[in-house]
Amino acid sequence: MNNTHEAIEAHLGEVRRFAPSAQFAATANATVTIYDEADADPEAFWAACARKLEWATPFTKTLDWTPPNATWFSDGTLNASVNCLDRHVAAGLGDRVAYHFVGEPEGDTRTITYQSLFEEVCRAANALSQLGVVAGDRVAIYMPMIPEAIVAMLACARLGAAHSVIFGGFTADALAHRITDADCRVVVTADGGFRRGAASGLKVNVDAALEQCPQVRSVLVVRRTGQEVSMHEGRDHWWHDLVSPQSPVHEAQAFPAEQPLYVMYTSGTTAKPKGILHTTAGYLTHVMTTHSLVFDLKADTDVVWTAADIGWVTGHSYIVYGPLCNGATSVLYEGVPDAGGKDRWWRIVEDYGVTILYTAPTTIRTLMKWGDEFPLAHDLTSLRLLGSVGEPINPEAWMWYREVIGKGHCPIVDTWWQTETGGIMATPLPGVTATKPGAAMRAFPGISIDVVDQDGQSVGNGGGGFLVVNKPWPGMTRGIWGDPERYAETYWSQVPGRYFAGDGAKLDDDGDLWILGRIDDVMNVSGHRLSTAEVEHALVAHEAVAEAAVVGASDETTGQAVVAFVTLRSGFDASEVLVDNLRALVAQMIGPIAKPKRILVTPELPKTRSGKIMRRLLRDVAEHRSLGDTTTLLDPSVLSMIDDLMRATPSDD
Ligand code: WT7
């Protein structure tokens, strides 16, 4: 967190503040009184939001809180897919576009209305039923960013089965682990997807993963790229054979408010990823409300583009459930930002008249690095609001986003939240809250957060410490799949009775909130969460490696980059080939995003007298900073030796 902290510190002296424009305030969905109203009775605030969903049985109870377990609206029943689709069609909005799909290959586009999405979800629900999927099951989804991925999610929700979407960049091993952990019996996938101009293979990874998962009985495969795949007789079915001929009618059943909706795996501080569980009504209430108020959504005119992958929570909440609950029109883009030219993004904004753009700072920095000429070559006047998520945004990138993309008139919402929180927790509200470049500003109405010290005492204005949430909120995770103890321990024990997010934060003199980043052993690379322990685990799986220590070192473009320090077993020597092999091993075991940017082979690692590896000091080394306090080290000379080595070794990129 040090570097972000320093950058923000350096800026705090000259912080700029942008008051909400009168133009925005005049038509904003949120009003200036909303904070006070929600504060006066947060449960009543959320209950009113929840009543905007369609219930089969209305709820009478709002919150039931037995720390660390909360339930919301628990005696109500509803169906998530009905809330996303049926009710809009019934209201006469069937012709409204739900998704403008833009495939990576030029010209590969589809327009999907609410009516057509509804029919396809019904067909898929019928097909999944035929494969034996029933309420309470888990279904794995491993897909590119194509409409069928969303159809599969909603079909599961329609049946009361939880989906577990696994990011398409993960490898067979990572896939197998997640399928096993959640005990999925059915997998929905595609032959592959288009990425950087080439067809990637997905089915091939599923085949490899399923060698380790004999419990999986059915695989449903979308033909996307047309590449050759092997189909396992009796187990594998083509989507066009099984789904397309089904009836477009499916009578949805209502399920309890707390019916599991999905499990999403994310990295924690140990090598084992956590299956974060979200349930139905509280989650939908949270994402529907935040999507409407944070983005000032006008569902009948806006075109929203959440440029994220549906394999991560941002996609779940703000490409799928939030926008669909609100009846919004979204852009769904399959590919990388520069497929077909460095102006591809801006062409999409222009072609579809995107009004609300939401993405991660790492992408903003990349687009900024490519140069202003690309956005300037396009008509971006449709844009009226810009959002940022996933990591701290540096003030330079924020200002570029505001000036070059937003032409100085689009409010910028810097939204802090996590896989575990389900939806946005801290953010300015457009038309209501002032903004400052790099600050998340304040908690969303009805959410109570604080910055506290080691003892759980509020630090107050001008202070820094741990970011905590004081009370349960509707979108809060209901636990870690199969591991209630880890849930209680990870989130609710560091600051007793309060949710500890793992982030450091600061309140400035005005009381506005600045998120400083992770203070645990979790890295944030290009907005992707990675565990240092997970990468270390992969490295020591190599026969040559004795010990490994991994740190996230600050990086201009990706926010943090993975830097690894390894010691070798006797009989093995450092070589370029070895380093390449280690990188490949990490990519194979976790995924290409986890590949270390640098691997330094060193004779020893810096340890405390009790034998704990001092990652904090290794981070100083990796960031070429002067070495901090080394007095707790067993042998401080080890660290200076590594530092010399680091400076002497040319960087690999
Ligand atoms: C971690 C959560 C939220 C969806 C995408 C990431 C960091 C997130 C911000 C922000 C500073 C942020 C935190 C958090 N983070 N948003 N606006 N400013 N940091 O979800 O993979 O669960 O990661 O991302 O460190 O703990 P995730």
Side-chain angles (χ1 to χ4, degrees):
M1 96 180 199
N2 298 345
N3 258 16
T4 324
H5 197 159
E6 276 163 22
I8 291 172
E9 282 295 309
H11 261 267
L12 279 180
E14 35 149 328
V15 167
R16 305 176 60 174
R17 182 177 180 280
F18 299 96
S21 75
Q23 181 212 338
F24 233 92
T27 60
N29 290 354
T31 56
V32 283
T33 54
I34 195 168
Y35 289 105
D36 291 340
E37 283 163 18
D39 272 358
D41 191 344
E43 286 181 38
F45 169 79
W46 287 117
C49 296
R51 284 191 198 100
K52 294 184 182 151
L53 290 168
E54 186 174 296
W55 295 83
T57 321
F59 62 94
T60 62
K61 280 195 282 188
T62 299
L63 169 66
D64 184 2
W65 177 223
T66 317
N69 300 305
T71 60
W72 286 84
F73 320 119
S74 61
D75 61 348
T77 68
L78 76 176
N79 184 292
S81 151
V82 166
N83 273 283
C84 291
L85 304 167
D86 309 38
R87 64 170 169 147
H88 303 312
V89 173
L93 302 177
D95 290 339
R96 182 177 288 175
V97 174
Y99 295 103
H100 292 291
F101 169 67
V102 184
E104 200 190 79
E106 296 283 348
D108 174 18
T109 61
R110 281 193 259 168
T111 305
I112 295 143
T113 62
Y114 273 87
Q115 176 72 35
S116 60
L117 185 61
F118 164 67
E119 289 175 7
E120 190 69 358
V121 168
C122 288
R123 286 190 198 96
N126 287 325
L128 289 176
S129 294
Q130 204 174 311
L131 294 176
V133 174
V134 294
D137 284 358
R138 268 88 44 216
V139 173
I141 300 177
Y142 181 64
M143 302 267 264
M145 283 274 287
I146 56 175
E148 287 82 356
I150 296 172
V151 171
M153 291 165 73
L154 295 170
C156 291
R158 197 166 185 89
L159 297 173
H163 50 74
S164 174
V165 179
I166 297 146
F167 175 57
F170 278 122
T171 54
D173 283 342
L175 185 58
H177 172 266
R178 287 159 175 78
I179 290 173
T180 305
D181 190 75
D183 194 18
C184 300
R185 302 300 169 96
V186 172
V187 178
V188 186
T189 188
D191 51 357
F194 291 107
R195 200 123 189 106
R196 296 183 202 287
S200 67
L202 292 175
K203 175 64 164 61
V204 62
N205 291 342
V206 171
D207 290 339
L210 294 195
E211 283 175 23
Q212 301 171 49
C213 311
Q215 76 280 10
V216 172
R217 55 171 196 265
S218 309
V219 180
L220 190 52
V221 190
V222 175
R223 182 177 281 151
R224 167 71 184 134
T225 64
Q227 66 190 280
E228 191 85 27
V229 295
S230 64
M231 295 294 277
H232 199 294
E233 185 65 40
R235 185 194 74 183
D236 301 352
H237 310 268
W238 285 110
W239 181 284
H240 52 262
D241 289 337
L242 193 77
V243 177
S244 307
Q246 298 282 342
S247 157
V249 179
H250 176 272
E251 207 54 56
Q253 225 184 296
F255 298 103
E258 288 292 338
Q259 183 80 2
L261 182 63
Y262 68 84
V263 179
M264 155 84 24
Y265 284 84
T266 187
S267 297
T269 54
T270 71
K272 191 176 177 321
K274 303 178 280 197
I276 300 300
L277 172 67
H278 284 290
T279 58
T280 305
Y283 173 79
L284 293 183
T285 299
H286 190 162
V287 298
M288 178 177 72
T289 307
T290 47
H291 190 253
S292 168
L293 298 180
V294 176
F295 300 104
D296 188 46
L297 179 77
K298 313 287 191 239
D300 47 351
T301 48
D302 274 320
V303 178
V304 293
W305 184 12
T306 292
D309 198 285
I310 41 166
W312 305 111
V313 75
T314 307
H316 280 47
S317 299
Y318 299 109
I319 298 178
V320 183
Y321 290 108
L324 292 180
C325 277
N326 285 323
T329 297
S330 293
V331 165
L332 179 71
Y333 172 55
E334 179 186 26
V336 294
D338 57 347
K342 290 194 163 46
D343 67 339
R344 182 71 186 268
W345 258 48
W346 312 120
R347 263 199 285 144
I348 294 174
V349 170
E350 182 172 1
D351 289 351
Y352 292 93
V354 172
T355 56
I356 298 167
L357 178 64
Y358 187 37
T359 192
T362 183
T363 309
I364 299 168
R365 287 192 293 267
T366 301
L367 295 162
M368 179 168 104
K369 203 167 63 184
W370 289 342
D372 294 1
E373 62 266 37
F374 301 105
L376 292 182
H378 293 275
D379 179 2
L380 307 182
T381 49
S382 57
L383 289 172
R384 62 179 200 94
L385 186 130
L386 303 171
S388 172
V389 60
E391 48 177 323
I393 179 165
N394 49 315
E396 295 70 23
W398 196 103
M399 287 305 296
W400 182 83
Y401 205 26
R402 180 187 153 87
E403 298 304 326
V404 179
I405 306 306
K407 316 292 181 205
H409 70 80
C410 298
I412 296 189
V413 289
D414 176 5
T415 62
W416 173 84
W417 57 294
Q418 310 178 296
T419 305
E420 294 86 339
T421 69
I424 292 168
M425 300 294 279
T427 176
L429 283 181
V432 174
T433 321
T435 57
K436 293 175 181 175
M441 300 305 287
R442 62 183 295 179
F444 185 80
I447 303 240
S448 168
I449 62 183
D450 200 2
V451 181
V452 301
D453 63 19
Q454 303 273 9
D455 305 320
Q457 297 300 313
S458 299
V459 297
N461 291 2
F466 308 115
L467 185 60
V468 295
V469 188
N470 298 318
K471 289 183 197 158
W473 64 99
M476 165 177 140
T477 176
R478 301 301 194 258
I480 297 176
W481 189 261
D483 203 344
E485 273 157 40
R486 189 174 178 194
Y487 167 69
E489 158 70 25
T490 309
Y491 304 110
W492 297 96
S493 68
Q494 320 256 356
V495 184
R498 296 202 258 175
Y499 174 87
F500 172 60
D503 283 306
K506 190 178 166 76
L507 294 173
D508 66 18
D509 292 337
D510 302 326
D512 294 325
L513 178 70
W514 299 71
I515 312 291
L516 304 174
R518 305 293 305 197
I519 51 168
D520 53 10
D521 292 328
V522 171
M523 298 175 285
N524 191 330
V525 179
S526 297
H528 295 309
R529 204 159 132 177
L530 290 170
S531 144
T532 54
E534 213 176 334
V535 179
E536 288 165 4
H537 185 75
L539 289 167
V540 296
H542 192 280
E543 56 168 4
V545 176
E547 271 192 310
V550 167
V551 300
S554 67
D555 183 275
E556 246 182 42
T557 307
T558 57
Q560 285 192 320
V562 181
V563 177
F565 299 85
V566 299
T567 62
L568 301 182
R569 288 177 196 280
S570 59
F572 291 94
D573 293 317
S575 70
E576 255 175 58
V577 176
L578 175 67
V579 166
D580 286 347
N581 289 343
L582 290 176
R583 270 222 193 80
L585 180 66
V586 174
Q588 183 215 320
M589 287 183 65
I590 306 174
I593 48 169
K595 246 196 236 184
K597 187 171 180 192
R598 285 197 76 177
I599 298 181
L600 195 74
V601 179
T602 154
E604 268 182 87
L605 291 174
K607 291 187 181 158
T608 60
R609 288 181 187 85
S610 59
K612 197 171 175 283
I613 297 172
M614 290 290 281
R615 287 192 187 71
R616 180 174 56 80
L617 296 173
L618 285 173
R619 169 118 59 111
D620 290 341
V621 170
E623 292 177 345
H624 304 293
R625 249 199 314 265
S626 57
L627 302 180
D629 180 7
T630 60
T631 49
T632 53
L633 289 177
L634 178 63
D635 178 2
S637 74
V638 170
L639 195 72
S640 3
M641 181 264 302
I642 297 176
D643 195 35
D644 291 345
L645 204 60
M646 186 85 183
R647 286 171 202 276
T649 325
S651 132
D652 311 310
D653 48 82

